[in-house]
Amino acid sequence: MPIYFKNTVAKEPFTFDSVGNMWDQELVIRSSGYSGYHYLQTETGCGQIEILGKNYVLNEGEGVLIAPFVSHSYKKISEKWTTCFITFAGSMENNIDSILENRKIIFIKQEQGTRIAEIISDIIIKYKNSPAATKALSVECYRLLMEFVEGIYTDDFAENPLYVKYVAPVIKEIQTAYASHLTVQELSSKVYVTPQYLSRLFRRFIGCSVYEYLTNYRISKAKELLQTKTRMEIQTISELVGFEEPSHFIAMFKKQTGITPFQFRKTSSI
C-alpha cells in the first residue's frame, strides 16, 4: 500500500501533495471537505461516496475529483475496496479552479480511469526512483489535470438533447481546431444557431460563454507548452494556441492567471 507525501515547499506551479495506490480503503468522513483538490479512484471492489448529501457508487476504474472544502465521505460496499488517489498542491494551485471551470465534482468513467491509473502508477515510480525529480513530477501533474479537463463534460447533462446537438459539437471543434483563428460566429454557424443562443446554452451547461470556453482552452494549452517546451518563444506559443497577436495572448493569459506567460514559465523552472 504505497503512499508518498510532498516533503518540501512547492515551488512548481502544480504538483502533488500526496499520491498512493493499492490502498485498502477504509471509512473516511470529511464534513468540511479536504483542504485541496482530491481525486479518488476504485482499483478493485467498489465503494460508496457521499458528496453534498448525494450518494454515488464507484465501481472498478471509476473515480471522482472533488474540489476543496466540499463535504464528502466514503466507505466500502464490497468485502474489500482498494483505491488509488492523488491530492494536488503547487504555487499556482489556486488556478486549478479556473482550469476546471469551477466545477466542484468531476466524475471519471472506466475508460478514462484506466489512463489516469496508468499516470498515477508512473508518478509513484518517479517517487520511488527519483524523489528529487520535481520538474518531471510537475509535468505529470499538469498532464493529469488535463485528463480532468477532458472529463468535465461527462456528467448527466451530456444526455440532454440540446447539449448533444449544439454544445458537444462546438466543444469538439474547439478542442481539435483551437490553434486556428476560430470565432464565436464561425462556431455557432457550424451548428446553425446564433452566437447569442449558443452562448446561452454554454452558460446553462458549462457555466461560461463560448468565447470564455475557447479562451480558457487556449490558455490551458499555452500553459502546457510553457511547461514542456521551455525554449519555445512566447510568440510561437501564442500562434500555436490560436492567438493572432502576442500582446493579446499575454493580456488574456494575465487576466486569467494573474501573471504573465514569462512569469508562469519562470515559476515552472527549477
Side-chain angles (χ1 to χ4, degrees):
M1 299 193 301
I3 177 172
Y4 298 89
F5 295 93
K6 173 177 63 63
N7 56 15
T8 59
V9 175
K11 297 180 180 179
E12 304 77 31
F14 303 108
T15 190
F16 305 107
D17 195 50
S18 65
V19 55
N21 65 357
M22 296 183 289
W23 192 258
D24 190 3
Q25 189 64 61
E26 298 180 348
L27 173 67
V28 170
I29 301 174
R30 297 189 179 111
S31 57
S32 300
Y34 186 75
S35 59
Y37 273 90
H38 168 230
Y39 178 70
L40 181 75
Q41 179 173 311
T42 296
E43 292 185 318
T44 63
C46 58
Q48 177 179 289
I49 184 163
E50 179 183 319
I51 307 174
L52 297 174
K54 293 184 67 175
N55 291 318
Y56 308 88
V57 174
L58 292 184
N59 295 303
E60 289 188 17
E62 297 175 343
V64 60
L65 179 71
I66 307 172
F69 309 113
V70 172
S71 173
H72 65 274
S73 64
Y74 41 86
K75 63 182 180 181
K76 63 183 180 181
I77 54 176
S78 58
E79 184 176 351
K80 187 173 183 179
W81 183 31
T82 62
T83 63
C84 57
F85 58 88
I86 287 277
T87 59
F88 291 91
S91 62
M92 294 183 63
E93 64 178 301
N94 290 340
N95 292 81
I96 296 177
D97 272 342
S98 60
I99 291 173
L100 300 178
E101 304 291 353
N102 297 306
R103 302 280 292 194
K104 299 302 181 186
I105 311 166
I106 297 174
F107 286 97
I108 298 296
K109 295 183 180 179
Q110 190 173 56
E111 181 180 355
Q112 194 175 9
T114 300
R115 296 201 303 270
I116 290 175
E118 290 173 354
I119 295 172
I120 291 175
S121 179
D122 288 343
I123 292 164
I124 287 173
I125 290 171
K126 285 183 172 64
Y127 266 101
K128 285 181 179 178
N129 300 332
S130 304
T134 53
K135 188 169 184 178
L137 287 167
S138 185
V139 172
E140 290 288 359
C141 186
Y142 196 80
R143 176 185 169 200
L144 188 55
L145 284 172
M146 291 303 98
E147 285 287 342
F148 296 126
V149 169
E150 180 179 336
I152 285 176
Y153 309 103
T154 60
D155 212 341
D156 294 340
F157 62 70
E159 304 300 321
N160 187 291
L162 290 175
Y163 178 89
V164 172
K165 186 174 181 179
Y166 301 114
V167 178
V170 172
I171 286 176
K172 184 176 181 180
E173 181 69 14
I174 289 172
Q175 293 178 346
T176 56
Y178 65 90
S180 62
H181 299 310
L182 289 177
T183 67
V184 177
Q185 183 69 45
E186 291 168 343
L187 290 167
S188 60
S189 68
K190 289 181 180 294
V191 289
Y192 307 102
V193 295
T194 66
Q196 293 80 6
Y197 181 66
L198 184 61
S199 277
R200 284 201 298 272
L201 290 178
F202 260 69
R203 288 195 181 281
R204 172 180 171 184
F205 292 111
I206 308 302
C208 65
S209 70
V210 182
Y211 177 75
E212 288 169 333
Y213 179 84
L214 173 61
T215 301
N216 289 343
Y217 194 81
R218 283 170 166 165
I219 295 298
S220 72
K221 290 297 181 181
K223 289 177 181 176
E224 188 174 353
L225 290 172
L226 286 163
Q227 271 204 304
T228 59
K229 306 293 183 182
T230 56
R231 295 187 178 182
M232 185 176 286
E233 293 184 357
I234 299 298
Q235 181 174 345
T236 302
I237 291 175
S238 170
E239 293 170 354
L240 288 176
V241 299
F243 287 91
E244 293 187 30
E245 296 293 336
S247 59
H248 183 220
F249 165 61
I250 293 169
M252 296 308 296
F253 193 98
K254 186 172 183 179
K255 181 179 180 181
Q256 185 180 104
T257 67
I259 59 175
T260 68
F262 304 96
Q263 292 169 321
F264 180 89
R265 172 169 278 170
K266 186 177 181 180
T267 63
S268 301
S269 62
I270 304 302

